[in-house]
Amino acid sequence: MNPLIPLLAGLALVAPASSPTTVTTDKGVVRGTVTASGTRSYQGIPYAAPPERWASPQPAARWAGVRDATRPGAACAQPAGLPVGVPSEAEDCLYLNVTAPAGNRRNLPVIVWIHGGSMMFGTGDMYGPDRLAADAVVVSMNYRLGVLSFLTHPALDSGSRFGSGSLALEDQQAALRWVRTNIGAFGGDPRNVTIMGQSGGGYAVCDHLASPVSRGLFTRAIIQSAPCATGGSRTRASAEADSTGVISAVGCTDKPDIAACLRAVPVADLLAAYDVWSEPRPVAGTALLPLSPADAFRTGRFNRVPVMIGVNHDEENGRYAAAPPIPADSYPATVGPEVLAHYPLSDYDNSASLALATIATDRDWAVPTFDTALLLSRWTNTHMYEFAEHDTPWFAGYPAPDLPWRAQHMAELAYLFDLDLFAPRTPAQDRLAARLTTTWTNFAADASPGWHPFTPARPLVQSLASGRWTPTEFLDDHEYDLWSPHA
């Protein structure tokens, strides 16, 4: 071993090579690029070997010479269906990307981004992290999605010591182990790693908090639009039930060797057989995930690191904005008298679509996110926010709807990342983007986003929008007493 490689807590922190764009990792040398913004970018680094189908990730092989790291790795296999997706049939997809500030800065906080997309769609590289990387080292990864991660059957259990149905979580843990070993070579501090995810990626953060296998792989967590109190995992029975139809559709149900049959099925056929709108989750009740996130947080049996958790004020507005208008005269019968009393149509410009979007946001997002923060705050340092900006970019290439989309699901991502998914930001939106990225990197640095913690005695939720940031009247605004089972 090179005597210049220091040792810290038993971890090899590999020293950078002489070139500003060349770094030595534990598997070999990579050469990246310097971006227009001055950051150093390394893409397509293998954090695991090309995986066997429905088998746990294995260590990547060493390589000789200098590996080109200027292009991202292939997107993991996923169907067409969402703008956030990248249609792909690739199984060799376990690659990550590192973006670091220019210069030879050391011991920077590390942010590991786990992309969303319902654990069905997406890639790490589509989220441009240059602004977050002004004062942090940012890592994103691809991980197996949909049918190639979550298909669950006894015949597939031997592929993992945890059983089938949770490979996305195993892949992410392999990426976090790569970070622990290698991130020092890129200027990051392996003792200061924040995992951060939104939507499906946020639920993955919930799972890492609850997984004993993830213990020690991160020191802080950011959960965006993922109310762990009502999601993050599923039962083995539910996972097997969802998989039965897929196995039948590809003709493997009655085969003497179901696993061999499934491994011979073309990827395209597997993708076609899996529900494109499925919301798969890892299986709870295993050594990988003994408890659901909700039960882990309720009992305190989770990795107790500082957590920042948040929700968008208008999560469902985008979905209802993109759908055909709902007739106003159908609204009273749709919601019933009790809900109608709390959400009169007159409060929503006589728009049933806007009223129903508000109901769905409060019931399915805002209230369970508050309850998740309440569970966490009994055991660990917790901060909660609500992204509440009204003037947010709409999706690029799509006509703007009549319904106000405001702080819809994913809206905050346009401020934290440079994303082709959204129309370009305005100067005013750029100013809010600068505040948000600073807040996120401050939390990654020292767990202090800039407002008081959320506690059971003082459940403060900070509103983040243009103008002065203040606590919000969250419980009244989202009809907490109507929707929470704990009210």
Side-chain angles (χ1 to χ4, degrees):
M1 178 178 290
N2 187 327
L4 296 178
I5 298 177
L7 297 179
L8 177 62
L11 307 178
L13 307 185
V14 189
S18 58
S19 168
T21 57
T22 303
V23 173
T24 302
T25 75
D26 66 327
K27 301 301 182 186
V29 180
V30 295
R31 178 177 288 118
T33 58
V34 176
T35 69
S37 64
T39 60
R40 294 178 294 129
S41 172
Y42 306 83
Q43 296 186 310
I45 303 173
Y47 67 84
E52 295 183 19
R53 192 178 288 183
W54 297 302
S56 294
Q58 299 299 317
R62 295 181 180 274
W63 60 83
V66 178
R67 183 186 179 97
D68 180 76
T70 60
R71 294 183 299 275
C76 287
Q78 58 192 279
L82 286 182
V84 75
V86 180
S88 170
E89 296 180 12
E91 295 187 70
D92 178 5
C93 64
L94 301 186
Y95 298 91
L96 55 73
N97 316 293
V98 180
T99 306
N104 193 29
R105 297 169 65 183
R106 313 297 297 165
N107 296 320
L108 292 166
V110 180
I111 298 173
V112 178
W113 168 245
I114 304 175
H115 72 77
S118 300
M119 296 192 186
M120 283 285 296
F121 302 93
T123 64
D125 62 272
M126 70 168 55
Y127 298 85
D130 283 16
R131 287 176 299 106
L132 277 174
D135 293 297
V137 178
V138 182
V139 179
S140 64
M141 91 284 285
N142 296 348
Y143 56 91
R144 279 173 286 182
L145 304 162
V147 67
L148 290 172
S149 171
F150 298 105
L151 198 70
T152 308
H153 190 275
L156 301 177
D157 283 346
S158 62
S160 164
R161 65 188 177 97
F162 306 112
S164 54
S166 304
L167 289 170
L169 191 59
E170 290 193 55
D171 290 347
Q172 293 160 17
Q173 288 168 337
L176 288 169
R177 288 191 290 271
W178 184 97
V179 168
R180 181 177 60 185
T181 300
N182 291 289
I183 205 64
F186 296 85
D189 182 354
R191 301 161 301 182
N192 186 2
V193 175
T194 297
I195 55 173
M196 166 183 167
Q198 182 268 347
S199 194
Y203 284 118
V205 174
C206 303
D207 295 328
H208 289 295
L209 285 165
S211 174
V213 181
S214 297
R215 184 172 296 126
L217 295 177
F218 60 97
T219 48
R220 314 193 210 294
I222 299 174
I223 304 168
Q224 300 171 212
S225 298
C228 315
T230 55
S233 68
R234 56 183 175 172
T235 65
R236 172 77 185 211
S238 174
E240 287 191 359
D242 286 348
S243 300
T244 298
V246 178
I247 295 169
S248 176
V250 298
C252 292
T253 300
D254 298 323
K255 298 297 182 181
D257 189 336
I258 292 175
C261 177
L262 287 168
R263 289 190 170 99
V265 174
V267 173
D269 293 348
L270 291 167
L271 294 175
Y274 202 70
D275 180 8
V276 71
W277 302 115
S278 176
E279 293 274 349
R281 298 286 183 262
V283 173
T286 69
L288 179 68
L289 194 62
L291 299 173
S292 71
D295 286 341
F297 300 167
R298 187 173 297 110
T299 59
R301 295 160 65 185
F302 67 97
N303 300 313
R304 298 184 195 174
V305 301
V307 177
M308 183 168 75
I309 183 169
V311 66
N312 291 357
H313 185 275
D314 312 290
E315 292 276 1
E316 290 285 341
N317 279 30
R319 185 162 71 90
Y320 279 86
I326 298 167
D329 57 9
S330 69
Y331 176 71
T334 299
V335 301
E338 182 181 12
V339 174
L340 184 64
H342 289 266
Y343 299 87
L345 204 55
S346 58
D347 285 357
Y348 303 96
D349 296 327
N350 212 41
S351 168
S353 295
L354 184 57
L356 288 169
T358 305
I359 291 168
T361 293
D362 292 354
R363 180 192 63 215
D364 300 336
W365 297 94
V367 167
T369 298
F370 184 93
D371 284 343
T372 302
L374 197 60
L375 292 174
L376 287 164
S377 68
R378 291 171 179 156
W379 306 99
T380 194
N381 181 20
T382 303
H383 289 81
M384 184 174 170
Y385 72 87
E386 177 175 64
F387 180 70
E389 177 65 9
H390 276 204
D391 181 22
T392 61
W394 181 244
F395 294 104
Y398 292 84
D402 293 331
L403 192 75
W405 60 89
R406 298 173 184 158
Q408 62 164 328
H409 193 62
M410 295 180 63
E412 86 283 15
L413 299 182
Y415 296 80
L416 295 170
F417 297 97
D418 295 316
L419 267 168
D420 293 338
L421 284 171
F422 295 100
R425 293 184 303 270
T426 66
Q429 291 165 348
D430 276 340
R431 288 191 290 273
L432 179 56
R435 292 180 71 186
L436 288 179
T437 53
T438 298
T439 300
W440 262 240
T441 53
N442 283 347
F443 180 82
D446 60 12
S448 300
W451 60 88
H452 290 291
F454 181 111
T455 67
R458 188 187 184 193
L460 184 151
V461 181
Q462 187 82 334
S463 179
L464 309 184
S466 297
R468 184 168 174 260
W469 289 1
T470 60
T472 179
E473 297 295 328
F474 193 87
L475 300 185
D476 291 340
D477 188 25
H478 295 290
E479 300 289 350
Y480 183 84
D481 288 345
L482 175 65
W483 298 118
S484 177
H486 311 296

